[in-house]
Amino acid sequence: YGVPRGIGYEEVGFGYNKAIISGLLRDSLGFDGVVCTDWGITSDSFIKKAAAWGAQSLTLPERVKKIMDAGCDMIGGDEVPDVIVELVENGGLSESRIDQSARRILRDKFELGLFDDPYLDEKSLSVLRNKAFVDAGRAAQRRSLVLLKNESNLLPLRTDQKVFAIGFEKESIQSQGTWVDDPDQADVVVLKLSTPYDPRSSSLIERFFHQGRLHFNEKEKQRYLDLMRDKPSVVVMTLERPTVFPEINAEAEAVIADFFCEDSIIAELLFGEFNPTGRLPVEIPSSPEAVEEQFEDVPYDSRDPLYRFGYGLNYE
């Protein structure tokens, strides 16, 4: 859905942009593969309005022609074969142009062998949950976890410490240490939290891809701070988006950035089964105001970030 602004290209979405698709991608960079547009750029749907940036005034056939003229081969999420046929019949598109895209698409299918043997045999299913692949995936999870804070070397935890945890499967903690159901009986409190958001029912997309606030409201924040205040605490922040949590960060002795890893992998890190090596791929803002003041297209520009891009600690 990108739109080039002020850099010499026509200011239309990339799917409509001949200078980007044909000029830059194909001619300059030599790409001869299939180009598929972003989803829903020609027609409105029940999910969203058409993302026809710079082409809002064009009719549907005019939009489709501009996309094809740009050099795209597939229109993502929109089924408009009747418009393609109409454009060819009235001379808006040549058959040779359609053949060009069809040839690219069919070439991929032939290279995958779909015309020679379109069905999987049972032996092919052996790749599912192949141990080597599972091990590689778990290793990638371990490398992704980022230790952001570790005051007084609270981590790694000892196996004899009693842990009260929120957000974890009980078995993941019990496999390493001792789980307790009462925070008053705990030696350590471990909280796994996720980035807050504003629920929005008006957009189907935003039900899956959360939007809105990045900070905890006062009720949420106070609940977690009350649990952390009387016990040494570890916060595992699942960064669906860069989260604003300065007060929770200040109260926690240890903080880990998580990217939807398995609970068992996080527990391994908590109890020192491996040394963290991850580094932040994003910047963690220090306040909602710092987020609002950022430029939308400039990286790592928030004021006094809580944690900077590339930050990460190891166990000593």
Side-chain angles (χ1 to χ4, degrees):
Y1 303 108
V3 182
R5 296 188 183 277
I7 56 174
Y9 292 98
E10 181 184 7
E11 295 191 356
V12 293
F14 281 7
Y16 290 94
N17 203 304
K18 187 174 184 178
I20 294 289
I21 302 300
S22 290
L24 177 60
L25 181 61
R26 294 207 186 278
D27 295 343
S28 295
L29 300 177
F31 180 74
D32 190 37
V34 174
V35 175
C36 181
T37 73
D38 282 307
W39 252 233
I41 74 169
T42 65
S43 310
D44 297 344
S45 71
F46 72 96
I47 295 177
K48 68 179 184 65
K49 293 283 188 181
W53 314 125
Q56 293 94 331
S57 63
L58 300 182
T59 65
L60 177 57
E62 289 171 338
R63 290 178 182 179
V64 172
K65 174 175 167 52
K66 190 170 180 64
I67 289 167
M68 298 299 294
D69 287 343
C72 296
D73 303 302
M74 299 175 66
I75 299 174
D78 292 336
E79 296 181 8
V80 289
D82 54 325
V83 177
I84 299 286
V85 171
E86 178 187 336
L87 286 167
V88 173
E89 289 178 343
N90 66 25
L93 286 173
S94 66
E95 285 192 38
S96 62
R97 173 65 191 88
I98 304 302
D99 290 344
Q100 185 182 41
S101 288
R103 192 172 291 112
R104 291 188 184 117
I105 294 166
L106 288 169
R107 181 182 60 199
D108 283 355
K109 294 180 183 292
F110 276 110
E111 288 179 350
L112 288 169
L114 298 182
F115 289 96
D116 300 318
D117 188 7
Y119 302 107
L120 284 174
D121 57 48
E122 291 186 7
K123 291 181 179 179
S124 300
L125 298 178
S126 64
V127 301
L128 295 175
R129 297 201 64 80
N130 177 287
K131 184 179 185 304
F133 298 162
V134 171
D135 290 346
R138 292 174 66 84
Q141 291 184 64
R142 293 183 185 99
R143 291 195 300 271
S144 76
L145 289 165
V146 185
L147 180 62
L148 297 176
K149 183 178 181 182
N150 194 20
E151 289 184 353
S152 303
N153 290 323
L154 176 62
L155 295 178
L157 301 177
R158 301 189 314 272
T159 56
D160 63 347
Q161 288 178 298
K162 298 176 182 177
V163 177
F164 173 81
I166 288 180
F168 284 87
E169 296 176 352
K170 189 174 183 178
E171 294 75 14
S172 65
I173 300 297
Q174 285 182 321
S175 67
Q176 299 284 340
T178 303
W179 172 288
V180 294
D181 295 316
D182 185 349
D184 291 336
Q185 298 176 0
D187 299 313
V188 181
V189 169
V190 180
L191 305 179
K192 187 168 78 165
L193 311 178
S194 295
T195 309
Y197 63 94
D198 292 320
R200 296 175 180 174
S201 59
S202 58
S203 169
L204 181 62
I205 287 181
E206 290 190 8
R207 296 180 198 175
F208 298 99
F209 302 101
H210 296 146
Q211 302 292 319
R213 65 186 170 96
L214 300 170
H215 60 279
F216 295 93
N217 62 36
E218 289 302 318
K219 183 178 180 181
E220 294 165 337
K221 185 166 55 180
Q222 198 58 51
R223 179 196 174 203
Y224 301 133
L225 291 175
D226 287 345
L227 283 169
M228 300 164 64
R229 201 149 276 148
D230 297 327
K231 302 282 183 175
S233 56
V234 181
V235 170
V236 179
M237 189 63 70
T238 300
L239 295 178
E240 180 184 85
R241 298 175 294 149
T243 311
V244 178
F245 62 109
E247 297 90 350
I248 292 173
N249 176 77
E251 191 66 38
E253 278 75 21
V255 178
I256 295 169
D258 160 53
F259 302 92
F260 295 93
C261 292
E262 299 171 34
D263 282 357
S264 60
I265 299 290
I266 301 172
E268 288 179 8
L269 176 58
L270 291 173
F271 287 90
E273 291 289 315
F274 64 92
N275 195 14
T277 58
R279 298 294 180 264
L280 270 183
V282 294
E283 188 175 74
I284 305 299
S286 58
S287 68
E289 293 74 24
V291 174
E292 294 292 338
E293 292 169 3
Q294 285 183 278
F295 291 106
E296 64 181 22
D297 57 351
V298 176
Y300 323 129
D301 68 325
S302 71
R303 172 171 42 86
D304 299 323
L306 192 64
Y307 294 105
R308 296 189 178 278
F309 168 81
Y311 183 80
L313 302 174
N314 307 108
Y315 289 152
E316 296 296 334

